[in-house]
Amino acid sequence: MTGAPANRPPLSLHVPEPRFRPGDAVDYTHVEVPAAGSARRPEPGDAAASFHELSFGLVRVLDEENRAVGPWAPRLSPDMLRQMLRNMALVRAFDERMFRAQRQGKTSFYMKSTGEEAVSVAAAMAMQRDDMCFPSYRQQGILITRDYSLVEMMNQIYSNKGDKLQGKQLPIMYSAKDYGFFSISGNLATQYPQAVGWAMASAAKGDSRIAATWCGEGSTAEGDFHSALTFATVYRAPVIFNVVNNQWAISSFSGFAGAEATTFAARAVGYGIAGLRIDGNDALAVYAATEWAAERARTNAGPTLIEHFTYRAEGHSTSDDPSAYRSADEATGWPLGDPIRRLRDHLIALGEWDLDAHAAQDLELAETVKKAQKEAETNGILGHGLHQPLDTLFDGVFEEMPWHLREQQAQMLAEEEASGRPWARK
């Protein structure tokens, strides 16, 4: 072909472009924020086709006066609200100290979840502790909510001699089977089909446990995401799909994953499953949506896709400089606010909390994390020599080590013994 015929207009491609670049003033008037409590709440067993509008709106519970309103309000006790606030504040304190540790050269890499704490903490609190979670790399709040040891988390970050993963995983890629926390993978969206497979196995065995998985909005463009939804749709797998739409996938904005065309929750409509789009900075909305989806899964009504509409307040990781690609005013101008501050203000409005108590808690949690860091660092930090015996590189790869690896391991040990360097021994 030499070109379009003269009587036809030339074709063109649309290239997504973020609204704001470095130096631009921020204007969020394009973000539709419906009134809290305005979204209807169907019964968990209702047909997915009967509430399609929930994939395009925004489920909100906390209003502008810090009250929990509407049919989605979960009516949690003050003690549970305080525990939720504490868990979220502990995640932030942990992130701050590990970020500084990376800047001090104690580890190579870290990823904060600032502004997204509700996505993991409130969801984990709405599930049963033996439900299986298949997280992405910004859901450390699940482990913290389930009372996993901060020291163990830091050992893994430092890849030290206390690291139960023996230094085989990138920092922050935890694995804790006993806490229902599947191994984090740096390959995006692989956890989605794994979660569906686990959920299908649970149902096939007649178990009562469900699965939940998380990914960023950019990962919805991966083939694994769509394969997982296909299997979940066909077999009505008891699984919750969480899409964390924090507006940015590293340095590319959400438009490259399809955000300009429709919502990410709308993907549920095409698969015929339940879809909810919620205020991801409203801890009560996250709790209520997860509790609803968990009941739906547990009663064999099928999977649910939840889009958490939130904002990544800081860089993608310690390797990222967000000022190079987005306006400095984006985080402060975000119309849905800060999840910790909103829950704090809700408790204050209830007369169950105050600013002095909150400040005292922040100091206490900072000291808790500092104490854990000191303990973890007695096991070593990344970069200060080999902390794991060298022959452990053969461990944890195969359930039964094949003969050729056993042979190589024996040869390596013999050579190290002969060289007089016993540091390779177990």
Side-chain angles (χ1 to χ4, degrees):
M1 293 196 330
T2 59
N7 63 337
R8 297 182 190 174
L11 298 173
S12 64
L13 289 175
H14 169 68
V15 179
E17 183 70 24
R19 291 177 180 269
F20 321 117
R21 286 296 192 183
D24 290 344
V26 171
D27 180 2
Y28 279 116
T29 55
H30 66 285
V31 177
E32 295 184 17
V33 182
S38 60
R40 71 183 179 100
R41 184 186 184 276
E43 292 300 314
D46 286 357
S50 68
F51 50 87
H52 280 171
E53 81 277 5
L54 296 180
S55 294
F56 300 94
L58 197 66
V59 174
R60 302 180 66 224
V61 171
L62 292 174
D63 68 9
E64 304 307 318
E65 283 74 45
N66 305 307
R67 299 171 303 181
V69 298
W72 286 93
R75 295 176 177 82
L76 303 179
S77 70
D79 284 344
M80 192 165 187
L81 291 173
R82 279 188 288 266
Q83 186 61 54
M84 187 181 294
L85 179 66
R86 182 181 181 83
N87 290 340
M88 291 164 63
L90 181 54
V91 173
R92 189 165 294 185
F94 184 88
D95 280 353
E96 290 294 336
R97 184 153 287 275
M98 290 296 95
F99 179 87
R100 290 199 300 272
Q102 191 277 336
R103 289 297 190 248
Q104 293 165 352
K106 295 178 178 179
T107 187
S108 61
F109 181 80
Y110 192 74
M111 300 182 79
K112 299 172 76 174
S113 61
T114 308
E116 301 175 41
E117 293 90 353
V119 170
S120 56
V121 169
M125 292 184 70
M127 298 175 65
Q128 297 298 315
R129 288 214 170 197
D130 57 354
D131 290 333
M132 194 67 183
C133 295
F134 292 76
S136 184
Y137 40 60
R138 219 182 297 275
Q139 280 81 56
Q140 51 267 48
I142 298 171
L143 282 176
I144 287 175
T145 297
R146 291 183 170 181
D147 300 316
Y148 190 68
S149 165
L150 300 183
V151 175
E152 294 290 357
M153 294 174 72
M154 292 175 181
N155 285 339
Q156 196 280 324
I157 291 167
Y158 290 141
S159 297
N160 60 28
K161 67 181 182 181
D163 177 13
K164 292 181 177 178
L165 304 185
Q166 300 176 317
K168 292 184 173 73
Q169 277 274 50
L170 189 71
I172 64 88
M173 293 191 176
Y174 316 103
S175 178
K177 181 179 180 180
D178 292 346
Y179 287 78
F181 193 93
F182 194 80
S183 302
I184 295 176
S185 171
N187 298 316
L188 300 180
T190 57
Q191 67 273 22
Y192 258 60
Q194 292 163 350
V196 173
W198 192 97
M200 290 173 62
S202 182
K205 293 186 296 185
D207 204 337
S208 62
R209 295 174 295 168
I210 65 171
T213 184
W214 287 254
C215 75
E217 83 284 345
S219 297
T220 63
E222 296 282 342
D224 280 350
F225 174 88
H226 295 280
S227 296
L229 264 67
T230 298
F231 272 86
T233 299
V234 171
Y235 295 101
R236 295 184 186 175
V239 60
I240 303 172
F241 298 113
N242 294 285
V243 175
V244 185
N245 179 9
N246 63 15
Q247 315 305 313
W248 290 94
I250 308 183
S251 59
S252 62
F253 86 116
S254 59
F256 284 103
E260 291 182 341
T262 187
T263 68
F264 292 98
R267 283 155 169 70
V269 175
Y271 283 98
I273 64 175
L276 302 174
R277 185 170 180 262
I278 71 170
D279 179 350
N281 286 21
D282 179 345
L284 297 189
V286 175
Y287 183 97
T290 305
E291 183 181 48
W292 182 93
E295 183 177 347
R296 187 175 180 86
R298 242 180 276 278
T299 54
N300 299 310
T304 302
L305 190 155
I306 303 174
E307 176 188 346
H308 301 260
F309 194 62
T310 181
Y311 186 80
R312 195 193 77 210
E314 300 194 25
H316 177 73
S317 71
T318 49
S319 304
D320 177 43
D321 177 12
S323 68
Y325 55 83
R326 71 185 190 187
S327 171
D329 297 331
E330 280 196 25
T332 55
W334 181 244
L336 298 180
D338 177 273
I340 293 178
R341 184 176 302 145
R342 289 176 66 185
L343 185 56
R344 178 201 70 186
D345 292 347
H346 174 56
L347 272 164
I348 291 174
L350 292 174
E352 296 288 348
W353 199 240
D354 58 56
L355 293 178
D356 289 341
H358 194 79
Q361 178 175 268
D362 281 346
L363 287 174
E364 176 203 346
L365 296 178
E367 284 300 313
T368 297
V369 176
K370 182 179 178 180
K371 181 180 178 182
Q373 182 185 26
K374 288 183 176 180
E375 182 178 345
E377 289 182 2
T378 62
N379 293 320
I381 58 176
L382 188 68
H384 285 194
L386 183 66
H387 297 295
Q388 297 284 341
L390 189 58
D391 66 314
T392 61
L393 66 90
F394 295 95
D395 297 340
V397 180
F398 296 94
E399 184 176 4
E400 294 185 14
M401 192 184 301
W403 68 268
H404 66 284
L405 288 186
R406 290 199 304 271
E407 187 176 271
Q408 291 175 31
Q409 183 183 43
Q411 182 181 2
M412 184 196 72
L413 290 171
E415 290 175 354
E416 292 299 329
E417 191 72 29
S419 70
R421 290 180 291 169
W423 49 267
R425 299 177 194 160
K426 290 186 177 180

